[in-house]
Amino acid sequence: MSEKRKDNKGRLLHPGEIQMPDGRYRYKYTDSYGKEHAVYSTRLDVHDYVPTGKKKVESLREKEKRIQAEMILNSAVVPNDMTVVQLAEAYINTKNGVKVTTRQGYQTVMNFLRKDPFGSRKINSIKVMEAKNWLVSLQKAGKSFSSIHTIKGVLGPAFKMALDDDLVRKNPFDFPLGSILVDDKHTRDAISREDERKFLKFIQEDEHFRQYYDGIWFLLNTGLRISEFCGLTLSNIDFKNHKLTIDHQLQKRAKVGYYIETTKTSNGVRIIPMLPEVEECLKRIVENRNPPKVEPIIEGYSGFLFFDKKGDVVYSLHWDHYFKHIVDKYNSIYKVQLPQITPHVCRHTYCSRLAMTNINPKALQYIMGHSDIATTMNIYTHVKFENAQEELNKIHAVSPQISAV
């Protein structure tokens, strides 16, 4: 038996793969017409570091997946034999460079399709009505709107890819999900000023939770995504010029551990001016940071602001728990309950408050790091009765002849 080939890191190489003398990787394959091709990359796997002095390019195995998916779609037997699972897998294999969370979402969809009978259906046998009825049946069986939205988010573009390659006559998932399903997602509203006041006062006066006061106040007054907040390092803070640079986020996943990721959207990279109160809060956070003797370094980043009792960097799940415990304790003491308050509710609240100051919508979009102005105005801006009443009172103070009807 021939010895299995390995690269210089001891990793097994797949058929068609070799590592060249200059360290690059090559994959040779033969297309459906019998013609040989070769692709190259400085990295074997998506998680490999980019060699010094080299540009970040697609890893060899990412290229392989894309090539294999394209070859499947171009195969002459595909139109009659391809199943929904096979199509979804071929589509996912073309999605390179996606975030870890997106990749995990794809895996969840694939696991579901492999178990559901619909996944074994032939793609050219599915009609629009069948696709709609299937999605409706999933919601009736207890699947949430967001989960079904994720499934359709894979199958819709997957069938479009098949349509573009003449494998199907029509995309059976080309319809808005809201036209057939009830959106049961919980609405994360902005909290009122009174609830915010009670919430912060309780934290400040609680012997245990007061340690989180500055962090929570900061979230309520900057609107940062919690992963952006957790990813902040000393190098992102410019007290001299009163600005804060947001250019990455900190994540942690099971079996992956801590990792640094780009901002949620390209618009997420931004420089935010710091108001005096925000700057004073951040100075207290920096003064009170308590790193371990050897500061953690995550993919080249160090100088994080918060650490747990073990000396690990605090990430989003920590803050989710802090918020929940605070609200639960408050509601166990007082009859008038606080609503659900989470780090993301802080973001909604901040955006809504800014919107009510008549700030330029494009400036608000920039501060929030949204890729689409519609997201800023339609999702994060929550105006309630008391907000409308307050605005009308302001108008009436200026022009008494105008009164609310």
Side-chain angles (χ1 to χ4, degrees), residues 27 63-73 90 93:
Y27 172 65
K63 291 184 178 183
E64 288 179 47
K65 284 185 176 181
R66 176 169 48 77
I67 290 166
Q68 290 162 5
E70 290 171 353
M71 289 176 67
I72 290 174
L73 287 173
N93 283 340

Side-chain angles (χ1 to χ4, degrees), residues 347-394:
R347 180 167 164 81
H348 279 246
T349 300
Y350 179 75
C351 187
S352 296
R353 298 272 168 79
L354 275 186
M356 287 186 288
T357 65
N358 295 321
I359 187 174
N360 183 302
K362 294 302 289 184
L364 180 56
Q365 178 188 1
Y366 173 80
I367 291 170
M368 301 306 296
H370 292 150
S371 59
D372 187 349
I373 190 66
T375 302
T376 311
M377 303 311 296
N378 297 334
I379 299 179
Y380 285 90
T381 304
H382 303 283
V383 178
K384 299 181 180 178
F385 170 78
E386 58 266 28
N387 306 133
Q389 186 178 49
E390 183 180 343
E391 293 302 311
L392 286 174
N393 288 338
K394 289 179 183 177

Side-chain angles (χ1 to χ4, degrees), residues 244-280:
L244 193 62
T245 299
I246 310 299
D247 58 10
H248 66 277
Q249 55 181 331
L250 176 70
Q251 301 279 9
K252 185 181 181 184
R253 301 289 172 189
K255 299 181 181 180
V256 176
Y258 288 98
Y259 61 96
I260 298 295
E261 200 166 53
T262 56
T263 52
K264 186 175 181 180
T265 69
S266 59
N267 291 62
V269 177
R270 59 205 189 276
I271 299 176
I272 301 175
M274 288 192 289
L275 295 175
E277 317 88 75
V278 171
E279 189 168 333
E280 287 303 313

Side-chain angles (χ1 to χ4, degrees), residues 200-319:
L200 289 174
K201 185 174 184 292
F202 179 75
I203 299 170
Q204 196 170 33
E205 295 177 352
D206 187 272
E207 187 175 344
H208 174 68
F209 293 128
R210 67 179 58 164
Q211 62 184 305
Y212 308 123
Y213 178 84
D214 282 331
I216 292 173
W217 188 95
F218 188 83
L219 286 169
L220 278 164
N221 288 275
T222 59
L224 294 188
R225 297 180 177 93
I226 186 61
S227 55
E228 295 172 342
F229 175 61
C230 294
L232 282 180
T233 66
L234 297 176
S235 63
N236 295 125
I237 306 167
D238 185 351
F239 287 124
K240 181 179 179 180
N241 296 300
H242 318 291
K243 60 187 182 181
L244 193 62
T245 299
I246 310 299
D247 58 10
H248 66 277
Q249 55 181 331
L250 176 70
Q251 301 279 9
K252 185 181 181 184
R253 301 289 172 189
K255 299 181 181 180
V256 176
Y258 288 98
Y259 61 96
I260 298 295
E261 200 166 53
T262 56
T263 52
K264 186 175 181 180
T265 69
S266 59
N267 291 62
V269 177
R270 59 205 189 276
I271 299 176
I272 301 175
M274 288 192 289
L275 295 175
E277 317 88 75
V278 171
E279 189 168 333
E280 287 303 313
C281 178
L282 194 52
K283 284 180 178 178
R284 290 195 301 272
I285 290 173
V286 171
E287 289 171 3
N288 294 328
R289 65 188 294 271
N290 185 30
K293 291 182 179 179
V294 179
E295 288 217 21
I297 299 176
I298 303 173
E299 296 188 23
Y301 288 80
S302 64
F304 295 97
L305 303 182
F306 294 93
F307 305 87
D308 64 14
K309 294 179 181 178
K310 297 179 181 179
D312 293 328
V313 179
V314 170
Y315 71 107
S316 58
L317 190 60
H318 286 97
W319 287 103

